[in-house]
Amino acid sequence: MIRRQRREETRVYGENACQALFQSRPEAIVRAWFVQSVTARFREVLRWLAANRKAYHVVDGAELTKASGTEHHGGVCFIIKKRLSMAVSEWLSQSGEEDCVLALEDVSNPYNLGGIMRTCAHFGEHRGRRRRTCSGDQ
């Protein structure tokens, strides 16, 4: 049971990431931790968590570091249900011939992921899919 939960859940931390997740998929939140200093900025989130009987905890920084698995938690951490994924072969069968696929595995540092996304945006990719060929002679 616990292994299945770990496969189906993941951590999201940092104020911006957690606010964005709450705006887009609040039903995915399973549990949340906050340090006292950020609770005013998460007032709406806290109300929603209480109304929907979701567990949340106001803790000190050391406890949040344990819960989030990092010292760079930004004062908040959510445990969320992962989105159901699509098999790569299925996705490729639905993509166009000129789509470029960027596959990432185990990229957990948000700074690395941010850098990758900014690089994609620089080359015209704004939605995770690209409508050009992937060859170097663009």
Side-chain angles (χ1 to χ4, degrees), residues 41-78:
R41 293 186 294 278
F42 283 88
R43 188 172 294 128
E44 182 183 349
V45 176
L46 290 164
R47 272 194 219 113
W48 186 90
L49 291 169
N52 289 277
R53 299 181 166 265
K54 302 284 184 169
Y56 67 90
H57 311 278
V58 178
V59 296
D60 62 16
E63 184 69 24
L64 188 53
T65 297
K66 286 181 189 175
S68 66
T70 181
E71 294 177 353
H72 307 287
H73 47 66
V76 59
C77 177
F78 291 167

mmCIF file of all heavy atoms in Angstrom, residues 41-78:
data_model
loop_
_atom_site.group_PDB
_atom_site.id
_atom_site.type_symbol
_atom_site.label_atom_id
_atom_site.label_comp_id
_atom_site.label_asym_id
_atom_site.label_seq_id
_atom_site.Cartn_x
_atom_site.Cartn_y
_atom_site.Cartn_z
ATOM 1 N N ARG A 41 -0.077 34.357 3.239
ATOM 2 C CA ARG A 41 -0.117 34.318 1.774
ATOM 3 C C ARG A 41 -0.851 33.082 1.244
ATOM 4 O O ARG A 41 -1.200 33.013 0.074
ATOM 5 C CB ARG A 41 1.293 34.390 1.209
ATOM 6 C CG ARG A 41 1.944 35.751 1.480
ATOM 7 C CD ARG A 41 3.278 35.877 0.796
ATOM 8 N NE ARG A 41 4.312 34.995 1.292
ATOM 9 C CZ ARG A 41 5.068 35.219 2.367
ATOM 10 N NH1 ARG A 41 4.860 36.296 3.116
ATOM 11 N NH2 ARG A 41 6.007 34.365 2.715
ATOM 12 N N PHE A 42 -1.073 32.109 2.109
ATOM 13 C CA PHE A 42 -1.768 30.880 1.730
ATOM 14 C C PHE A 42 -3.130 30.767 2.420
ATOM 15 O O PHE A 42 -3.645 29.656 2.585
ATOM 16 C CB PHE A 42 -0.899 29.659 2.053
ATOM 17 C CG PHE A 42 0.199 29.445 1.056
ATOM 18 C CD1 PHE A 42 1.430 30.062 1.207
ATOM 19 C CD2 PHE A 42 -0.003 28.641 -0.059
ATOM 20 C CE1 PHE A 42 2.440 29.876 0.280
ATOM 21 C CE2 PHE A 42 0.997 28.450 -0.986
ATOM 22 C CZ PHE A 42 2.231 29.067 -0.827
ATOM 23 N N ARG A 43 -3.698 31.894 2.777
ATOM 24 C CA ARG A 43 -4.985 31.903 3.495
ATOM 25 C C ARG A 43 -6.072 31.156 2.702
ATOM 26 O O ARG A 43 -6.801 30.335 3.242
ATOM 27 C CB ARG A 43 -5.407 33.340 3.772
ATOM 28 C CG ARG A 43 -6.604 33.457 4.675
ATOM 29 C CD ARG A 43 -6.861 34.894 5.074
ATOM 30 N NE ARG A 43 -5.761 35.378 5.910
ATOM 31 C CZ ARG A 43 -5.080 36.506 5.670
ATOM 32 N NH1 ARG A 43 -5.392 37.271 4.658
ATOM 33 N NH2 ARG A 43 -4.107 36.876 6.463
ATOM 34 N N GLU A 44 -6.164 31.441 1.398
ATOM 35 C CA GLU A 44 -7.176 30.783 0.561
ATOM 36 C C GLU A 44 -6.940 29.271 0.500
ATOM 37 O O GLU A 44 -7.879 28.474 0.557
ATOM 38 C CB GLU A 44 -7.148 31.383 -0.844
ATOM 39 C CG GLU A 44 -8.175 30.811 -1.774
ATOM 40 C CD GLU A 44 -8.073 31.381 -3.185
ATOM 41 O OE1 GLU A 44 -7.345 32.363 -3.413
ATOM 42 O OE2 GLU A 44 -8.736 30.805 -4.064
ATOM 43 N N VAL A 45 -5.675 28.872 0.397
ATOM 44 C CA VAL A 45 -5.322 27.454 0.349
ATOM 45 C C VAL A 45 -5.716 26.776 1.653
ATOM 46 O O VAL A 45 -6.331 25.697 1.647
ATOM 47 C CB VAL A 45 -3.811 27.268 0.082
ATOM 48 C CG1 VAL A 45 -3.427 25.801 0.130
ATOM 49 C CG2 VAL A 45 -3.416 27.881 -1.244
ATOM 50 N N LEU A 46 -5.397 27.412 2.775
ATOM 51 C CA LEU A 46 -5.724 26.837 4.082
ATOM 52 C C LEU A 46 -7.235 26.674 4.254
ATOM 53 O O LEU A 46 -7.700 25.645 4.765
ATOM 54 C CB LEU A 46 -5.137 27.696 5.205
ATOM 55 C CG LEU A 46 -3.610 27.648 5.317
ATOM 56 C CD1 LEU A 46 -3.092 28.795 6.154
ATOM 57 C CD2 LEU A 46 -3.168 26.311 5.884
ATOM 58 N N ARG A 47 -7.996 27.665 3.812
ATOM 59 C CA ARG A 47 -9.465 27.554 3.884
ATOM 60 C C ARG A 47 -9.956 26.378 3.058
ATOM 61 O O ARG A 47 -10.819 25.618 3.478
ATOM 62 C CB ARG A 47 -10.119 28.842 3.384
ATOM 63 C CG ARG A 47 -10.307 29.855 4.460
ATOM 64 C CD ARG A 47 -11.270 30.959 3.994
ATOM 65 N NE ARG A 47 -10.744 32.210 4.514
ATOM 66 C CZ ARG A 47 -10.255 33.198 3.789
ATOM 67 N NH1 ARG A 47 -10.257 33.147 2.488
ATOM 68 N NH2 ARG A 47 -9.776 34.270 4.362
ATOM 69 N N TRP A 48 -9.416 26.246 1.849
ATOM 70 C CA TRP A 48 -9.839 25.156 0.966
ATOM 71 C C TRP A 48 -9.468 23.808 1.575
ATOM 72 O O TRP A 48 -10.274 22.865 1.532
ATOM 73 C CB TRP A 48 -9.195 25.326 -0.411
ATOM 74 C CG TRP A 48 -9.710 24.327 -1.385
ATOM 75 C CD1 TRP A 48 -10.790 24.465 -2.213
ATOM 76 C CD2 TRP A 48 -9.182 23.015 -1.631
ATOM 77 N NE1 TRP A 48 -10.964 23.307 -2.945
ATOM 78 C CE2 TRP A 48 -9.991 22.412 -2.615
ATOM 79 C CE3 TRP A 48 -8.103 22.302 -1.115
ATOM 80 C CZ2 TRP A 48 -9.759 21.120 -3.077
ATOM 81 C CZ3 TRP A 48 -7.876 21.023 -1.588
ATOM 82 C CH2 TRP A 48 -8.687 20.441 -2.553
ATOM 83 N N LEU A 49 -8.251 23.695 2.126
ATOM 84 C CA LEU A 49 -7.825 22.435 2.735
ATOM 85 C C LEU A 49 -8.751 22.045 3.883
ATOM 86 O O LEU A 49 -9.165 20.886 3.997
ATOM 87 C CB LEU A 49 -6.379 22.546 3.236
ATOM 88 C CG LEU A 49 -5.297 22.644 2.160
ATOM 89 C CD1 LEU A 49 -3.967 23.020 2.781
ATOM 90 C CD2 LEU A 49 -5.187 21.350 1.372
ATOM 91 N N ALA A 50 -9.092 23.009 4.735
ATOM 92 C CA ALA A 50 -9.982 22.732 5.863
ATOM 93 C C ALA A 50 -11.378 22.336 5.375
ATOM 94 O O ALA A 50 -11.963 21.367 5.871
ATOM 95 C CB ALA A 50 -10.057 23.945 6.778
ATOM 96 N N ALA A 51 -11.899 23.054 4.406
ATOM 97 C CA ALA A 51 -13.248 22.775 3.884
ATOM 98 C C ALA A 51 -13.324 21.408 3.214
ATOM 99 O O ALA A 51 -14.380 20.764 3.225
ATOM 100 C CB ALA A 51 -13.665 23.864 2.902
ATOM 101 N N ASN A 52 -12.214 20.961 2.637
ATOM 102 C CA ASN A 52 -12.194 19.680 1.933
ATOM 103 C C ASN A 52 -11.557 18.555 2.745
ATOM 104 O O ASN A 52 -11.232 17.509 2.183
ATOM 105 C CB ASN A 52 -11.482 19.852 0.588
ATOM 106 C CG ASN A 52 -12.321 20.653 -0.364
ATOM 107 O OD1 ASN A 52 -13.206 20.101 -1.012
ATOM 108 N ND2 ASN A 52 -12.103 21.951 -0.423
ATOM 109 N N ARG A 53 -11.378 18.814 4.033
ATOM 110 C CA ARG A 53 -10.852 17.803 4.967
ATOM 111 C C ARG A 53 -9.519 17.208 4.517
ATOM 112 O O ARG A 53 -9.304 16.000 4.559
ATOM 113 C CB ARG A 53 -11.871 16.706 5.214
ATOM 114 C CG ARG A 53 -13.139 17.218 5.832
ATOM 115 C CD ARG A 53 -14.103 16.076 6.080
ATOM 116 N NE ARG A 53 -15.166 16.515 6.950
ATOM 117 C CZ ARG A 53 -15.199 16.358 8.268
ATOM 118 N NH1 ARG A 53 -14.209 15.760 8.876
ATOM 119 N NH2 ARG A 53 -16.223 16.786 8.971
ATOM 120 N N LYS A 54 -8.623 18.086 4.071
ATOM 121 C CA LYS A 54 -7.264 17.680 3.691
ATOM 122 C C LYS A 54 -6.340 18.017 4.858
ATOM 123 O O LYS A 54 -6.476 19.066 5.488
ATOM 124 C CB LYS A 54 -6.791 18.423 2.440
ATOM 125 C CG LYS A 54 -7.680 18.237 1.233
ATOM 126 C CD LYS A 54 -7.484 16.880 0.619
ATOM 127 C CE LYS A 54 -8.311 16.765 -0.657
ATOM 128 N NZ LYS A 54 -7.975 15.599 -1.412
ATOM 129 N N ALA A 55 -5.390 17.143 5.125
ATOM 130 C CA ALA A 55 -4.468 17.353 6.240
ATOM 131 C C ALA A 55 -3.483 18.475 5.920
ATOM 132 O O ALA A 55 -2.944 18.541 4.818
ATOM 133 C CB ALA A 55 -3.699 16.073 6.532
ATOM 134 N N TYR A 56 -3.288 19.381 6.876
ATOM 135 C CA TYR A 56 -2.239 20.392 6.747
ATOM 136 C C TYR A 56 -1.649 20.652 8.123
ATOM 137 O O TYR A 56 -2.299 20.450 9.149
ATOM 138 C CB TYR A 56 -2.755 21.685 6.108
ATOM 139 C CG TYR A 56 -3.737 22.469 6.928
ATOM 140 C CD1 TYR A 56 -3.304 23.453 7.819
ATOM 141 C CD2 TYR A 56 -5.099 22.241 6.806
ATOM 142 C CE1 TYR A 56 -4.206 24.168 8.561
ATOM 143 C CE2 TYR A 56 -6.005 22.956 7.543
ATOM 144 C CZ TYR A 56 -5.558 23.932 8.430
ATOM 145 O OH TYR A 56 -6.459 24.640 9.172
ATOM 146 N N HIS A 57 -0.395 21.088 8.123
ATOM 147 C CA HIS A 57 0.342 21.290 9.369
ATOM 148 C C HIS A 57 1.133 22.586 9.283
ATOM 149 O O HIS A 57 1.759 22.850 8.267
ATOM 150 C CB HIS A 57 1.322 20.132 9.613
ATOM 151 C CG HIS A 57 0.695 18.783 9.472
ATOM 152 N ND1 HIS A 57 -0.023 18.183 10.476
ATOM 153 C CD2 HIS A 57 0.659 17.913 8.422
ATOM 154 C CE1 HIS A 57 -0.468 17.011 10.061
ATOM 155 N NE2 HIS A 57 -0.065 16.832 8.815
ATOM 156 N N VAL A 58 1.102 23.366 10.343
ATOM 157 C CA VAL A 58 1.964 24.542 10.463
ATOM 158 C C VAL A 58 3.110 24.107 11.368
ATOM 159 O O VAL A 58 2.893 23.750 12.527
ATOM 160 C CB VAL A 58 1.208 25.754 11.048
ATOM 161 C CG1 VAL A 58 2.153 26.932 11.211
ATOM 162 C CG2 VAL A 58 0.026 26.120 10.151
ATOM 163 N N VAL A 59 4.319 24.095 10.801
ATOM 164 C CA VAL A 59 5.482 23.514 11.477
ATOM 165 C C VAL A 59 6.656 24.495 11.442
ATOM 166 O O VAL A 59 6.598 25.527 10.777
ATOM 167 C CB VAL A 59 5.896 22.181 10.809
ATOM 168 C CG1 VAL A 59 4.800 21.138 10.945
ATOM 169 C CG2 VAL A 59 6.247 22.380 9.344
ATOM 170 N N ASP A 60 7.722 24.146 12.150
ATOM 171 C CA ASP A 60 8.932 24.968 12.072
ATOM 172 C C ASP A 60 9.755 24.550 10.853
ATOM 173 O O ASP A 60 9.455 23.563 10.176
ATOM 174 C CB ASP A 60 9.744 24.872 13.363
ATOM 175 C CG ASP A 60 10.256 23.471 13.666
ATOM 176 O OD1 ASP A 60 10.267 22.613 12.755
ATOM 177 O OD2 ASP A 60 10.650 23.225 14.817
ATOM 178 N N GLY A 61 10.803 25.311 10.576
ATOM 179 C CA GLY A 61 11.613 25.075 9.386
ATOM 180 C C GLY A 61 12.265 23.706 9.357
ATOM 181 O O GLY A 61 12.351 23.084 8.291
ATOM 182 N N ALA A 62 12.711 23.208 10.505
ATOM 183 C CA ALA A 62 13.368 21.897 10.551
ATOM 184 C C ALA A 62 12.391 20.784 10.185
ATOM 185 O O ALA A 62 12.732 19.860 9.436
ATOM 186 C CB ALA A 62 13.959 21.653 11.936
ATOM 187 N N GLU A 63 11.181 20.868 10.687
ATOM 188 C CA GLU A 63 10.169 19.861 10.367
ATOM 189 C C GLU A 63 9.790 19.913 8.885
ATOM 190 O O GLU A 63 9.601 18.883 8.237
ATOM 191 C CB GLU A 63 8.932 20.069 11.237
ATOM 192 C CG GLU A 63 7.868 19.014 11.058
ATOM 193 C CD GLU A 63 8.268 17.649 11.594
ATOM 194 O OE1 GLU A 63 9.140 17.566 12.483
ATOM 195 O OE2 GLU A 63 7.705 16.654 11.107
ATOM 196 N N LEU A 64 9.710 21.118 8.334
ATOM 197 C CA LEU A 64 9.387 21.263 6.915
ATOM 198 C C LEU A 64 10.515 20.738 6.037
ATOM 199 O O LEU A 64 10.269 20.152 4.978
ATOM 200 C CB LEU A 64 9.069 22.720 6.581
ATOM 201 C CG LEU A 64 8.534 22.977 5.176
ATOM 202 C CD1 LEU A 64 7.335 22.099 4.853
ATOM 203 C CD2 LEU A 64 8.159 24.430 5.026
ATOM 204 N N THR A 65 11.743 20.903 6.486
ATOM 205 C CA THR A 65 12.884 20.342 5.759
ATOM 206 C C THR A 65 12.773 18.824 5.690
ATOM 207 O O THR A 65 13.016 18.225 4.643
ATOM 208 C CB THR A 65 14.211 20.767 6.417
ATOM 209 O OG1 THR A 65 14.318 22.187 6.333
ATOM 210 C CG2 THR A 65 15.410 20.119 5.752
ATOM 211 N N LYS A 66 12.362 18.192 6.787
ATOM 212 C CA LYS A 66 12.157 16.738 6.782
ATOM 213 C C LYS A 66 11.021 16.349 5.842
ATOM 214 O O LYS A 66 11.140 15.404 5.068
ATOM 215 C CB LYS A 66 11.826 16.241 8.192
ATOM 216 C CG LYS A 66 12.983 16.210 9.137
ATOM 217 C CD LYS A 66 12.526 15.679 10.485
ATOM 218 C CE LYS A 66 13.593 15.831 11.529
ATOM 219 N NZ LYS A 66 13.096 15.433 12.860
ATOM 220 N N ALA A 67 9.915 17.067 5.926
ATOM 221 C CA ALA A 67 8.736 16.729 5.115
ATOM 222 C C ALA A 67 9.001 16.924 3.624
ATOM 223 O O ALA A 67 8.566 16.121 2.806
ATOM 224 C CB ALA A 67 7.542 17.571 5.549
ATOM 225 N N SER A 68 9.717 17.995 3.274
ATOM 226 C CA SER A 68 9.944 18.298 1.863
ATOM 227 C C SER A 68 11.158 17.570 1.293
ATOM 228 O O SER A 68 11.270 17.412 0.079
ATOM 229 C CB SER A 68 10.129 19.807 1.664
ATOM 230 O OG SER A 68 11.312 20.251 2.291
ATOM 231 N N GLY A 69 12.077 17.185 2.147
ATOM 232 C CA GLY A 69 13.286 16.521 1.686
ATOM 233 C C GLY A 69 14.356 17.485 1.209
ATOM 234 O O GLY A 69 15.335 17.073 0.601
ATOM 235 N N THR A 70 14.167 18.789 1.471
ATOM 236 C CA THR A 70 15.145 19.786 1.044
ATOM 237 C C THR A 70 15.105 20.994 1.974
ATOM 238 O O THR A 70 14.078 21.283 2.579
ATOM 239 C CB THR A 70 14.896 20.243 -0.404
ATOM 240 O OG1 THR A 70 15.892 21.201 -0.769
ATOM 241 C CG2 THR A 70 13.528 20.854 -0.574
ATOM 242 N N GLU A 71 16.219 21.692 2.055
ATOM 243 C CA GLU A 71 16.264 22.953 2.807
ATOM 244 C C GLU A 71 15.707 24.103 1.983
ATOM 245 O O GLU A 71 15.430 25.172 2.494
ATOM 246 C CB GLU A 71 17.708 23.272 3.201
ATOM 247 C CG GLU A 71 18.302 22.287 4.175
ATOM 248 C CD GLU A 71 19.749 22.586 4.483
ATOM 249 O OE1 GLU A 71 20.349 23.483 3.841
ATOM 250 O OE2 GLU A 71 20.295 21.917 5.368
ATOM 251 N N HIS A 72 15.527 23.899 0.695
ATOM 252 C CA HIS A 72 15.074 24.950 -0.227
ATOM 253 C C HIS A 72 13.574 24.862 -0.483
ATOM 254 O O HIS A 72 13.130 24.949 -1.616
ATOM 255 C CB HIS A 72 15.859 24.851 -1.542
ATOM 256 C CG HIS A 72 17.334 24.859 -1.351
ATOM 257 N ND1 HIS A 72 18.029 25.992 -0.997
ATOM 258 C CD2 HIS A 72 18.236 23.855 -1.427
ATOM 259 C CE1 HIS A 72 19.308 25.687 -0.878
ATOM 260 N NE2 HIS A 72 19.461 24.401 -1.126
ATOM 261 N N HIS A 73 12.811 24.697 0.579
ATOM 262 C CA HIS A 73 11.369 24.471 0.463
ATOM 263 C C HIS A 73 10.559 25.756 0.334
ATOM 264 O O HIS A 73 9.401 25.712 -0.078
ATOM 265 C CB HIS A 73 10.853 23.668 1.648
ATOM 266 C CG HIS A 73 11.332 24.160 2.971
ATOM 267 N ND1 HIS A 73 10.973 25.386 3.487
ATOM 268 C CD2 HIS A 73 12.171 23.591 3.864
ATOM 269 C CE1 HIS A 73 11.561 25.539 4.661
ATOM 270 N NE2 HIS A 73 12.295 24.472 4.905
ATOM 271 N N GLY A 74 11.126 26.895 0.658
ATOM 272 C CA GLY A 74 10.407 28.157 0.518
ATOM 273 C C GLY A 74 9.261 28.336 1.500
ATOM 274 O O GLY A 74 8.392 29.172 1.292
ATOM 275 N N GLY A 75 9.212 27.524 2.538
ATOM 276 C CA GLY A 75 8.190 27.697 3.566
ATOM 277 C C GLY A 75 6.912 26.905 3.359
ATOM 278 O O GLY A 75 5.994 26.985 4.171
ATOM 279 N N VAL A 76 6.833 26.120 2.281
ATOM 280 C CA VAL A 76 5.611 25.357 2.016
ATOM 281 C C VAL A 76 5.941 24.094 1.226
ATOM 282 O O VAL A 76 6.855 24.083 0.411
ATOM 283 C CB VAL A 76 4.568 26.222 1.262
ATOM 284 C CG1 VAL A 76 5.127 26.714 -0.055
ATOM 285 C CG2 VAL A 76 3.262 25.500 1.053
ATOM 286 N N CYS A 77 5.203 23.039 1.503
ATOM 287 C CA CYS A 77 5.363 21.775 0.779
ATOM 288 C C CYS A 77 4.006 21.096 0.675
ATOM 289 O O CYS A 77 3.272 21.034 1.661
ATOM 290 C CB CYS A 77 6.349 20.865 1.510
ATOM 291 S SG CYS A 77 6.545 19.232 0.745
ATOM 292 N N PHE A 78 3.678 20.610 -0.513
ATOM 293 C CA PHE A 78 2.463 19.831 -0.734
ATOM 294 C C PHE A 78 2.857 18.411 -1.135
ATOM 295 O O PHE A 78 3.812 18.217 -1.883
ATOM 296 C CB PHE A 78 1.630 20.378 -1.901
ATOM 297 C CG PHE A 78 0.983 21.711 -1.683
ATOM 298 C CD1 PHE A 78 0.450 22.389 -2.768
ATOM 299 C CD2 PHE A 78 0.886 22.300 -0.439
ATOM 300 C CE1 PHE A 78 -0.169 23.619 -2.611
ATOM 301 C CE2 PHE A 78 0.275 23.534 -0.265
ATOM 302 C CZ PHE A 78 -0.258 24.192 -1.357
#
